[in-house]
Amino acid sequence: MSSAEDNANDPGPRPTRLTAAAALAALEGLALVVAGGYLLVEGIFGSPDSAEQAVTGGVTMMVLAALPLIAARGLLKLRSWSRGPVLVTQILALPVAWQLLQANSLLIPGGIVLAVVAITTLVLLLNPESTKALGIGPRDTA
């Protein structure tokens, strides 16, 4: 390839906003791994109401953690496909945060944190600088 083709394929430096969005998505993925691992261990070694439900929930959460973790890696590598899964994850996190806020217990701080992380990540991903870095948006016809 010529140097002109290399420059055309080079997306340039990664914006700080995109790096922050990737970090928040990865943090959510890691939180899902930890919560899933806790449920799994509790289901196997603890005394939950239903061991089968605890194990199934733990495995499910750990599998679901793959989506934000893989998408966060894609954001760091400036892959345009990665924005969609992260956006969907944040949109799905908002009703979960709302339910945690309605709990009247120690889950309320978790709901606040989840809501702040989801909204912040959405704002960071929808920022024009981020969409441009990912190559999303109108194409030049010239």
Side-chain angles (χ1 to χ4, degrees):
M1 275 202 298
S2 71
S3 63
E5 289 175 355
D6 287 339
N7 290 341
N9 292 333
D10 181 25
R14 183 177 54 246
T16 305
R17 289 180 176 105
L18 203 54
T19 303
L24 290 173
L27 180 66
E28 287 176 326
L30 291 174
L32 284 170
V33 168
V34 169
Y38 172 79
L39 283 175
L40 187 62
V41 169
E42 183 67 23
I44 294 171
F45 300 111
S47 57
D49 293 337
S50 171
E52 294 82 14
Q53 284 182 342
V55 169
T56 302
V59 170
T60 301
M61 288 179 82
M62 293 175 82
V63 169
L64 288 175
L67 181 64
L69 290 172
I70 292 169
R73 186 169 187 261
L75 287 176
L76 289 175
K77 293 185 169 236
L78 298 176
R79 304 289 192 253
S80 62
W81 61 264
S82 62
R83 188 176 89 151
V86 176
L87 287 174
V88 169
T89 302
Q90 305 320 307
I91 291 168
L92 291 174
L94 291 173
V96 173
W98 179 256
Q99 288 300 314
L100 291 174
L101 290 171
Q102 304 302 311
N104 289 330
S105 69
L106 294 175
L107 296 176
I108 291 174
I112 293 169
V113 170
L114 182 57
V116 168
V117 168
I119 291 169
T120 302
T121 305
L122 285 169
V123 168
L124 291 170
L125 283 178
L126 296 174
N127 183 280
E129 186 179 322
S130 296
T131 57
K132 183 180 177 186
L134 291 171
I136 300 169
R139 307 264 190 245
D140 291 333
T141 57

